Coordinates of all heavy atoms in Angstrom, one line a residue:
M1 N 53.6 15.0 -17.6 CA 53.3 15.2 -19.1 C 52.1 16.1 -19.2 O 51.2 16.1 -18.5 CB 53.0 13.8 -19.7 CG 54.2 12.9 -19.8 SD 55.6 13.7 -20.5 CE 56.3 12.2 -21.2
T2 N 52.2 16.9 -20.3 CA 51.1 17.9 -20.5 C 51.1 18.1 -22.0 O 52.0 17.9 -22.8 CB 51.4 19.2 -19.8 OG1 50.4 20.1 -20.0 CG2 52.7 19.8 -20.3
F3 N 49.9 18.6 -22.4 CA 49.8 19.2 -23.8 C 50.1 20.7 -23.7 O 50.0 21.3 -22.7 CB 48.4 18.9 -24.3 CG 48.4 17.5 -24.9 CD1 48.4 16.3 -24.1 CD2 48.3 17.3 -26.3 CE1 48.4 15.1 -24.7 CE2 48.2 16.0 -26.9 CZ 48.3 14.9 -26.1
V4 N 50.5 21.2 -24.9 CA 51.0 22.6 -24.9 C 50.3 23.3 -26.1 O 50.1 22.7 -27.2 CB 52.5 22.6 -25.1 CG1 53.0 24.0 -25.4 CG2 53.2 22.0 -24.0
I5 N 49.9 24.5 -25.9 CA 49.4 25.3 -27.1 C 50.5 26.2 -27.6 O 51.1 27.0 -26.9 CB 48.2 26.2 -26.6 CG1 47.0 25.2 -26.2 CG2 47.7 27.1 -27.7 CD1 45.8 25.9 -25.6
G6 N 50.7 26.1 -28.9 CA 51.8 26.9 -29.5 C 51.3 28.0 -30.4 O 50.2 28.5 -30.3
E7 N 52.2 28.4 -31.3 CA 52.1 29.6 -32.2 C 50.8 29.7 -32.9 O 50.2 30.8 -33.0 CB 53.2 29.5 -33.2 CG 53.7 30.8 -33.7 CD 54.6 31.5 -32.7 OE1 55.2 30.8 -31.8 OE2 54.6 32.7 -32.7
A8 N 50.3 28.6 -33.4 CA 49.1 28.7 -34.4 C 47.9 29.3 -33.7 O 46.9 29.7 -34.4 CB 48.9 27.4 -35.0
C9 N 47.8 29.2 -32.4 CA 46.6 29.7 -31.7 C 46.5 31.2 -31.8 O 45.4 31.8 -31.7 CB 46.6 29.3 -30.3 SG 45.1 29.8 -29.3
I10 N 47.6 31.9 -32.0 CA 47.6 33.4 -31.9 C 46.8 33.9 -33.1 O 46.9 33.6 -34.2 CB 49.1 33.9 -32.1 CG1 49.9 33.4 -30.9 CG2 49.1 35.4 -32.2 CD1 51.4 33.7 -31.0
G11 N 45.8 34.8 -32.7 CA 44.9 35.4 -33.7 C 43.7 34.5 -34.0 O 42.8 35.0 -34.7
V12 N 43.7 33.3 -33.5 CA 42.5 32.4 -33.7 C 41.6 32.4 -32.5 O 40.5 32.9 -32.4 CB 42.9 31.0 -34.1 CG1 41.7 30.1 -34.5 CG2 43.9 31.0 -35.3
Q13 N 42.2 31.8 -31.4 CA 41.6 31.8 -30.1 C 40.1 31.5 -30.1 O 39.3 32.3 -29.5 CB 41.8 33.2 -29.5 CG 43.3 33.5 -29.2 CD 43.6 35.0 -29.0 OE1 44.0 35.7 -29.9 NE2 43.4 35.4 -27.8
D14 N 39.7 30.5 -30.8 CA 38.2 30.2 -30.9 C 37.7 29.4 -29.7 O 36.5 29.1 -29.7 CB 38.0 29.4 -32.2 CG 38.5 28.0 -32.2 OD1 39.4 27.7 -31.4 OD2 38.1 27.2 -33.0
R15 N 38.6 29.0 -28.8 CA 38.2 28.3 -27.6 C 37.6 26.9 -27.8 O 37.0 26.4 -26.9 CB 37.3 29.2 -26.7 CG 37.9 30.5 -26.4 CD 36.9 31.4 -25.6 NE 36.5 30.8 -24.3 CZ 37.2 30.9 -23.2 NH1 38.2 31.6 -23.1 NH2 36.7 30.3 -22.1
A16 N 37.8 26.3 -28.9 CA 37.2 25.0 -29.2 C 37.8 24.0 -28.2 O 37.1 23.1 -27.7 CB 37.5 24.6 -30.6
C17 N 39.1 24.2 -27.9 CA 39.8 23.2 -27.0 C 39.2 23.3 -25.5 O 39.2 22.3 -24.8 CB 41.3 23.6 -26.9 SG 41.6 25.3 -26.6
V18 N 38.8 24.5 -25.1 CA 38.3 24.7 -23.8 C 37.1 23.7 -23.4 O 37.1 23.1 -22.4 CB 37.9 26.1 -23.5 CG1 37.3 26.3 -22.2 CG2 39.1 27.1 -23.7
D19 N 36.2 23.6 -24.4 CA 35.0 22.8 -24.2 C 35.4 21.3 -24.0 O 34.6 20.5 -23.5 CB 34.0 23.0 -25.3 CG 33.5 24.4 -25.3 OD1 33.5 25.0 -24.3 OD2 33.0 24.8 -26.4
E20 N 36.5 20.9 -24.5 CA 36.9 19.4 -24.5 C 37.7 19.0 -23.3 O 37.9 17.8 -23.1 CB 37.7 19.1 -25.8 CG 37.0 19.4 -27.1 CD 35.8 18.5 -27.2 OE1 35.8 17.4 -26.8 OE2 34.8 19.1 -27.7
C21 N 38.1 20.0 -22.5 CA 39.0 19.7 -21.4 C 38.2 19.2 -20.2 O 37.5 20.0 -19.6 CB 39.9 20.9 -21.1 SG 41.1 20.5 -19.8
P22 N 38.5 18.0 -19.7 CA 37.7 17.5 -18.6 C 38.1 18.0 -17.2 O 37.4 17.9 -16.2 CB 38.0 15.9 -18.6 CG 39.3 15.8 -19.3 CD 39.4 17.0 -20.3
V23 N 39.3 18.7 -17.2 CA 39.8 19.3 -15.9 C 39.9 20.8 -15.9 O 40.4 21.4 -15.0 CB 41.1 18.6 -15.5 CG1 41.0 17.2 -15.2 CG2 42.2 18.9 -16.6
D24 N 39.3 21.4 -17.0 CA 39.2 22.9 -17.1 C 40.6 23.5 -16.8 O 40.7 24.4 -16.0 CB 38.2 23.4 -16.1 CG 37.8 24.8 -16.3 OD1 37.9 25.3 -17.5 OD2 37.4 25.5 -15.3
C25 N 41.6 23.1 -17.5 CA 42.9 23.7 -17.3 C 43.4 24.5 -18.4 O 44.6 24.9 -18.5 CB 43.9 22.5 -17.0 SG 44.3 21.5 -18.4
I26 N 42.5 25.0 -19.3 CA 42.9 25.8 -20.4 C 42.4 27.2 -20.2 O 41.2 27.4 -19.9 CB 42.4 25.3 -21.8 CG1 42.9 23.8 -22.0 CG2 42.9 26.2 -22.9 CD1 42.3 23.2 -23.2
R27 N 43.3 28.2 -20.2 CA 42.9 29.6 -20.0 C 43.3 30.5 -21.1 O 44.3 30.3 -21.8 CB 43.6 30.1 -18.7 CG 43.1 29.4 -17.4 CD 41.7 29.9 -17.0 NE 41.3 29.2 -15.8 CZ 40.7 28.1 -15.7 NH1 40.4 27.4 -16.9 NH2 40.3 27.5 -14.6
E28 N 42.5 31.6 -21.3 CA 42.8 32.5 -22.3 C 43.7 33.6 -21.8 O 43.5 34.2 -20.8 CB 41.5 33.1 -22.9 CG 41.7 34.0 -24.1 CD 40.5 34.2 -24.9 OE1 39.4 33.8 -24.5 OE2 40.5 34.8 -26.0
G29 N 44.8 33.9 -22.6 CA 45.7 34.9 -22.3 C 45.5 36.1 -23.3 O 44.6 36.0 -24.1
P30 N 46.4 37.1 -23.2 CA 46.2 38.2 -24.1 C 46.4 37.9 -25.6 O 45.9 38.6 -26.5 CB 47.3 39.2 -23.6 CG 48.3 38.3 -22.9 CD 47.5 37.2 -22.3
D31 N 47.2 36.9 -25.9 CA 47.6 36.6 -27.3 C 47.1 35.3 -27.8 O 46.8 35.1 -29.0 CB 49.1 36.7 -27.5 CG 49.8 35.7 -26.5 OD1 49.2 35.3 -25.5 OD2 51.0 35.5 -26.8
K32 N 46.9 34.3 -26.9 CA 46.6 32.9 -27.2 C 46.1 32.2 -26.0 O 46.0 32.9 -24.9 CB 47.8 32.2 -27.8 CG 48.9 32.1 -26.8 CD 50.2 31.5 -27.5 CE 50.3 30.0 -27.3 NZ 50.4 29.6 -25.9
L33 N 45.7 31.0 -26.1 CA 45.3 30.2 -24.9 C 46.5 29.4 -24.4 O 47.5 29.1 -25.1 CB 44.1 29.3 -25.2 CG 42.8 30.0 -25.1 CD1 42.6 31.0 -26.3 CD2 41.6 29.0 -25.1
Y34 N 46.4 29.0 -23.1 CA 47.5 28.4 -22.4 C 46.9 27.2 -21.7 O 45.8 27.2 -21.1 CB 48.2 29.3 -21.5 CG 48.9 30.5 -22.1 CD1 48.2 31.6 -22.5 CD2 50.2 30.4 -22.4 CE1 48.8 32.7 -23.2 CE2 50.9 31.5 -23.0 CZ 50.2 32.6 -23.4 OH 50.8 33.6 -24.0
I35 N 47.8 26.1 -21.6 CA 47.4 24.9 -20.8 C 48.2 24.9 -19.5 O 49.4 24.9 -19.6 CB 47.6 23.6 -21.6 CG1 46.7 23.6 -22.8 CG2 47.5 22.4 -20.8 CD1 46.9 22.5 -23.8
N36 N 47.5 24.7 -18.4 CA 48.2 24.6 -17.1 C 48.9 23.2 -17.0 O 48.2 22.2 -17.0 CB 47.2 24.8 -16.0 CG 47.9 24.8 -14.6 OD1 48.9 24.2 -14.4 ND2 47.3 25.5 -13.7
P37 N 50.2 23.1 -17.0 CA 50.9 21.8 -17.0 C 50.7 21.0 -15.7 O 50.9 19.8 -15.7 CB 52.3 22.2 -17.3 CG 52.5 23.6 -16.8 CD 51.1 24.3 -17.0
I38 N 50.3 21.7 -14.7 CA 50.1 21.0 -13.4 C 48.8 20.3 -13.4 O 48.7 19.1 -13.0 CB 50.2 22.0 -12.2 CG1 51.5 22.8 -12.2 CG2 50.0 21.3 -10.9 CD1 52.7 22.0 -12.0
D39 N 47.8 20.9 -13.9 CA 46.5 20.3 -13.9 C 46.2 19.4 -15.1 O 45.3 18.6 -15.0 CB 45.4 21.4 -13.9 CG 45.5 22.2 -12.6 OD1 46.1 21.7 -11.6 OD2 45.0 23.3 -12.5
C40 N 46.8 19.6 -16.2 CA 46.6 18.7 -17.4 C 46.8 17.3 -17.1 O 47.8 16.9 -16.5 CB 47.5 19.2 -18.5 SG 47.4 18.2 -20.0
I41 N 45.8 16.4 -17.5 CA 46.0 15.0 -17.2 C 46.4 14.2 -18.5 O 46.4 13.0 -18.5 CB 44.6 14.4 -16.7 CG1 43.5 14.6 -17.7 CG2 44.3 15.0 -15.3 CD1 42.2 13.9 -17.4
D42 N 46.9 15.0 -19.5 CA 47.5 14.4 -20.6 C 46.5 13.4 -21.4 O 46.9 12.4 -22.0 CB 48.7 13.6 -20.2 CG 49.8 13.4 -21.3 OD1 50.0 14.4 -22.1 OD2 50.4 12.3 -21.4
C43 N 45.2 13.8 -21.4 CA 44.2 12.9 -22.1 C 44.2 13.1 -23.6 O 43.8 12.2 -24.3 CB 42.8 13.2 -21.5 SG 42.2 14.9 -22.0
G44 N 44.7 14.2 -24.1 CA 44.7 14.5 -25.5 C 43.4 14.9 -26.2 O 43.3 15.1 -27.4
N45 N 42.3 15.1 -25.4 CA 41.0 15.4 -25.9 C 41.1 16.7 -26.7 O 40.3 16.9 -27.7 CB 40.0 15.6 -24.8 CG 39.5 14.3 -24.2 OD1 40.0 13.2 -24.6 ND2 38.6 14.4 -23.3
C46 N 41.9 17.7 -26.3 CA 41.9 19.0 -26.9 C 42.6 19.0 -28.3 O 42.2 19.8 -29.2 CB 42.6 20.0 -26.0 SG 44.3 19.5 -25.5
Q47 N 43.5 18.1 -28.5 CA 44.4 18.2 -29.7 C 43.6 18.1 -31.0 O 43.7 19.0 -31.9 CB 45.5 17.1 -29.6 CG 46.5 17.3 -30.7 CD 47.6 16.3 -30.6 OE1 47.4 15.2 -30.1 NE2 48.8 16.7 -31.0
P48 N 42.7 17.1 -31.2 CA 42.1 17.0 -32.5 C 41.0 18.0 -32.8 O 40.7 18.2 -34.0 CB 41.4 15.6 -32.4 CG 41.3 15.3 -31.0 CD 42.4 16.0 -30.3
V49 N 40.5 18.8 -31.8 CA 39.5 19.8 -32.1 C 40.1 21.1 -32.6 O 39.3 22.0 -33.0 CB 38.5 20.0 -31.0 CG1 37.9 18.6 -30.6 CG2 39.2 20.6 -29.8
C50 N 41.3 21.3 -32.4 CA 41.9 22.6 -32.8 C 42.0 22.8 -34.3 O 42.6 21.9 -35.0 CB 43.4 22.7 -32.2 SG 44.1 24.3 -32.6
P51 N 41.3 23.8 -34.8 CA 41.2 24.0 -36.3 C 42.6 24.3 -36.9 O 42.7 24.2 -38.2 CB 40.2 25.1 -36.4 CG 40.4 25.9 -35.2 CD 40.7 24.9 -34.1
V52 N 43.6 24.7 -36.1 CA 44.8 25.1 -36.7 C 46.0 24.2 -36.2 O 47.2 24.6 -36.4 CB 45.1 26.6 -36.5 CG1 44.2 27.5 -37.3 CG2 45.0 26.9 -35.0
S53 N 45.7 23.1 -35.6 CA 46.7 22.2 -35.0 C 47.7 22.8 -34.2 O 48.9 22.6 -34.3 CB 47.3 21.4 -36.2 OG 46.4 20.7 -37.0
A54 N 47.3 23.7 -33.3 CA 48.2 24.4 -32.4 C 48.6 23.6 -31.2 O 49.6 24.0 -30.5 CB 47.5 25.7 -32.0
I55 N 48.0 22.5 -30.9 CA 48.2 21.8 -29.7 C 49.1 20.6 -29.9 O 48.8 19.8 -30.8 CB 46.9 21.4 -29.0 CG1 45.9 22.6 -28.9 CG2 47.1 20.7 -27.7 CD1 44.5 22.3 -28.4
F56 N 50.1 20.4 -29.0 CA 51.0 19.3 -29.2 C 51.4 18.8 -27.8 O 51.4 19.6 -26.8 CB 52.2 19.6 -30.0 CG 53.0 20.8 -29.5 CD1 54.0 20.7 -28.6 CD2 52.7 22.1 -30.0 CE1 54.7 21.8 -28.1 CE2 53.4 23.2 -29.6 CZ 54.4 23.1 -28.6
P57 N 51.8 17.5 -27.7 CA 52.3 17.0 -26.4 C 53.7 17.5 -26.1 O 54.5 17.6 -27.1 CB 52.2 15.5 -26.5 CG 52.3 15.2 -28.0 CD 51.7 16.5 -28.7
D58 N 54.0 17.8 -24.9 CA 55.4 18.3 -24.6 C 56.5 17.3 -24.9 O 57.6 17.7 -25.1 CB 55.5 18.8 -23.1 CG 55.3 17.6 -22.1 OD1 54.9 16.5 -22.4 OD2 55.6 17.9 -20.9
R59 N 56.1 16.0 -25.0 CA 57.1 15.0 -25.3 C 57.4 15.0 -26.8 O 58.4 14.3 -27.2 CB 56.7 13.6 -24.8 CG 55.4 13.2 -25.4 CD 54.8 11.9 -24.7 NE 53.4 11.6 -25.1 CZ 52.4 12.2 -24.5 NH1 52.5 13.1 -23.6 NH2 51.2 11.9 -24.9
A60 N 56.6 15.6 -27.6 CA 56.8 15.7 -29.0 C 56.5 17.1 -29.6 O 55.5 17.3 -30.3 CB 56.0 14.6 -29.7
P61 N 57.3 18.1 -29.2 CA 57.0 19.4 -29.6 C 57.1 19.7 -31.1 O 57.9 19.0 -31.7 CB 58.1 20.3 -28.8 CG 59.2 19.3 -28.5 CD 58.5 18.0 -28.3
K62 N 56.3 20.6 -31.6 CA 56.5 21.0 -33.0 C 57.8 21.6 -33.2 O 58.3 22.4 -32.3 CB 55.3 21.9 -33.3 CG 53.9 21.3 -33.3 CD 52.8 22.3 -33.5 CE 52.7 22.7 -34.9 NZ 51.4 23.5 -35.1
P63 N 58.5 21.4 -34.3 CA 59.8 22.0 -34.5 C 59.7 23.5 -34.4 O 58.9 24.1 -35.0 CB 60.1 21.6 -35.9 CG 59.3 20.3 -36.1 CD 58.1 20.5 -35.4
G64 N 60.6 24.0 -33.6 CA 60.7 25.5 -33.4 C 59.8 26.0 -32.4 O 59.8 27.2 -32.1
E65 N 59.0 25.2 -31.8 CA 58.0 25.6 -30.8 C 58.3 25.1 -29.4 O 57.4 25.2 -28.5 CB 56.6 25.2 -31.2 CG 56.2 25.8 -32.6 CD 54.7 26.1 -32.7 OE1 54.0 26.3 -31.7 OE2 54.2 26.1 -33.8
E66 N 59.5 24.7 -29.2 CA 59.8 24.1 -27.9 C 59.7 25.2 -26.7 O 59.3 24.8 -25.6 CB 61.3 23.6 -27.9 CG 61.5 22.4 -28.8 CD 61.8 22.8 -30.2 OE1 61.7 24.0 -30.6 OE2 62.0 21.8 -31.0
H67 N 59.9 26.4 -27.1 CA 59.8 27.5 -26.0 C 58.4 27.6 -25.5 O 58.2 28.2 -24.4 CB 60.3 28.8 -26.6 CG 59.5 29.3 -27.8 ND1 59.6 28.8 -29.0 CD2 58.6 30.3 -27.9 CE1 58.8 29.4 -29.8 NE2 58.2 30.4 -29.2
H68 N 57.4 27.2 -26.2 CA 56.0 27.3 -25.7 C 55.7 26.4 -24.5 O 54.8 26.6 -23.8 CB 55.0 27.0 -26.9 CG 54.9 28.1 -27.8 ND1 54.3 29.3 -27.5 CD2 55.3 28.2 -29.1 CE1 54.3 30.1 -28.5 NE2 54.9 29.5 -29.5
I69 N 56.6 25.3 -24.3 CA 56.4 24.5 -23.2 C 56.6 25.3 -21.9 O 55.8 25.3 -21.0 CB 57.4 23.3 -23.2 CG1 57.1 22.4 -24.5 CG2 57.3 22.5 -21.9 CD1 58.1 21.3 -24.7
Q70 N 57.7 26.0 -21.9 CA 58.0 26.9 -20.7 C 57.0 28.1 -20.7 O 56.6 28.5 -19.6 CB 59.4 27.4 -20.8 CG 59.9 28.2 -19.5 CD 59.9 27.3 -18.3 OE1 60.4 26.1 -18.4 NE2 59.2 27.7 -17.2
A71 N 56.6 28.6 -21.8 CA 55.7 29.7 -21.8 C 54.3 29.4 -21.2 O 53.7 30.2 -20.5 CB 55.5 30.3 -23.2
N72 N 53.9 28.1 -21.5 CA 52.6 27.7 -20.9 C 52.7 27.6 -19.4 O 51.8 27.9 -18.7 CB 52.2 26.4 -21.5 CG 51.3 26.6 -22.8 OD1 50.1 26.4 -22.8 ND2 52.0 26.9 -23.9
A73 N 53.9 27.1 -18.9 CA 54.1 26.9 -17.5 C 54.2 28.3 -16.8 O 53.6 28.6 -15.8 CB 55.3 26.1 -17.2
D74 N 54.9 29.2 -17.5 CA 55.1 30.5 -16.9 C 53.8 31.3 -16.8 O 53.6 32.1 -15.9 CB 56.1 31.4 -17.8 CG 57.5 30.9 -17.7 OD1 57.8 30.1 -16.8 OD2 58.3 31.3 -18.6
F75 N 52.9 31.1 -17.7 CA 51.6 31.8 -17.7 C 50.9 31.5 -16.4 O 50.1 32.3 -15.9 CB 50.8 31.3 -18.9 CG 49.4 32.0 -19.0 CD1 49.4 33.3 -19.5 CD2 48.3 31.4 -18.6 CE1 48.2 34.0 -19.6 CE2 47.0 32.1 -18.7 CZ 47.0 33.4 -19.2
F76 N 51.1 30.3 -15.8 CA 50.4 29.9 -14.6 C 51.2 30.1 -13.3 O 50.8 29.6 -12.2 CB 49.9 28.5 -14.7 CG 48.8 28.3 -15.8 CD1 49.2 27.9 -17.0 CD2 47.5 28.6 -15.5 CE1 48.3 27.7 -18.0 CE2 46.6 28.4 -16.5 CZ 47.0 28.0 -17.8
A77 N 52.4 30.7 -13.5 CA 53.3 30.8 -12.4 C 52.8 31.6 -11.2 O 53.1 31.3 -10.0 CB 54.6 31.4 -12.8
D78 N 52.0 32.6 -11.5 CA 51.4 33.4 -10.4 C 49.9 33.0 -10.2 O 49.1 33.4 -11.1 CB 51.4 34.9 -10.7 CG 50.9 35.7 -9.5 OD1 50.3 35.2 -8.6 OD2 51.2 36.9 -9.6
P79 N 49.6 32.2 -9.2 CA 48.2 31.7 -9.1 C 47.2 32.7 -8.9 O 46.0 32.5 -9.1 CB 48.3 30.7 -7.8 CG 49.6 31.2 -7.1 CD 50.5 31.7 -8.1
D80 N 47.6 33.9 -8.5 CA 46.6 35.0 -8.3 C 46.1 35.5 -9.6 O 45.0 36.1 -9.7 CB 47.3 36.2 -7.6 CG 47.6 35.8 -6.1 OD1 47.0 34.8 -5.6 OD2 48.5 36.4 -5.5
D81 N 46.8 35.2 -10.7 CA 46.4 35.7 -12.0 C 45.3 34.9 -12.7 O 44.7 35.3 -13.6 CB 47.6 35.8 -13.0 CG 48.5 36.9 -12.6 OD1 48.1 37.8 -11.8 OD2 49.7 37.0 -13.1
H82 N 45.2 33.6 -12.2 CA 44.3 32.7 -12.9 C 43.3 32.0 -12.0 O 43.5 30.9 -11.6 CB 45.1 31.7 -13.8 CG 46.1 32.5 -14.6 ND1 45.8 33.2 -15.7 CD2 47.4 32.6 -14.5 CE1 46.9 33.7 -16.2 NE2 47.9 33.4 -15.5
Ligands
LIG1 S1 45.3 17.0 -22.8 FE1 43.3 16.8 -21.7 S2 43.6 17.6 -19.7 FE2 45.3 18.4 -21.0 S3 44.6 20.4 -21.7 FE3 44.0 18.8 -23.3 S4 41.9 18.2 -22.8 FE4 42.8 19.3 -21.0
LIG2 S1 41.3 25.1 -30.3 FE1 43.3 25.7 -31.1 S2 43.1 27.8 -32.0 FE2 41.2 27.3 -30.8 S3 41.7 28.3 -28.8 FE3 42.3 26.2 -28.6 S4 44.5 26.1 -29.2 FE4 43.7 28.1 -29.8

């Protein structure tokens, strides 16, 4: 289980979630931030601090944002990049 960053982060990217993560698994990409699904411990700390409610658990995706689950995983597919 992991949390996922979706559409609403695009253009905001204020990094408020990064400071809340106990395992440092949130990284900034070119358009938004991404959560590493392997390292995320599913604690939920990041979700309430997001000013635009961009973060959701993969077991309850926001409607229309299911593709962000795979996108977050794909972002970390090449370990040399992060
Ligand atoms: S749910 Fe917890 S471990 Fe996962 S990204 Fe958010 S703060 Fe980090
Ligand atoms: S707190 Fe929300 S808007 Fe800010 S960087 Fe994290 S996911 Fe993006």
Side-chain angles (χ1 to χ4, degrees):
M1 294 305 211
T2 181
F3 276 69
V4 174
I5 295 175
E7 207 77 26
C9 179
I10 297 172
V12 183
Q13 297 164 264
D14 70 341
R15 301 178 61 87
C17 52
V18 174
D19 293 337
E20 299 301 320
C21 183
V23 294
D24 192 27
C25 69
I26 305 175
R27 293 285 181 274
E28 189 160 5
D31 55 345
K32 59 187 270 298
L33 275 71
Y34 294 82
I35 293 173
N36 186 330
I38 304 297
D39 294 340
C40 175
I41 59 170
D42 206 37
C43 69
N45 284 4
C46 54
Q47 189 177 31
V49 303
C50 179
V52 291
S53 301
I55 307 173
F56 55 87
D58 65 348
R59 58 191 170 277
K62 294 171 76 171
E65 299 212 24
E66 294 83 356
H67 61 288
H68 283 291
I69 298 171
Q70 189 62 49
N72 273 255
D74 289 347
F75 183 76
F76 295 95
D78 185 348
D80 292 337
D81 287 347
H82 308 288

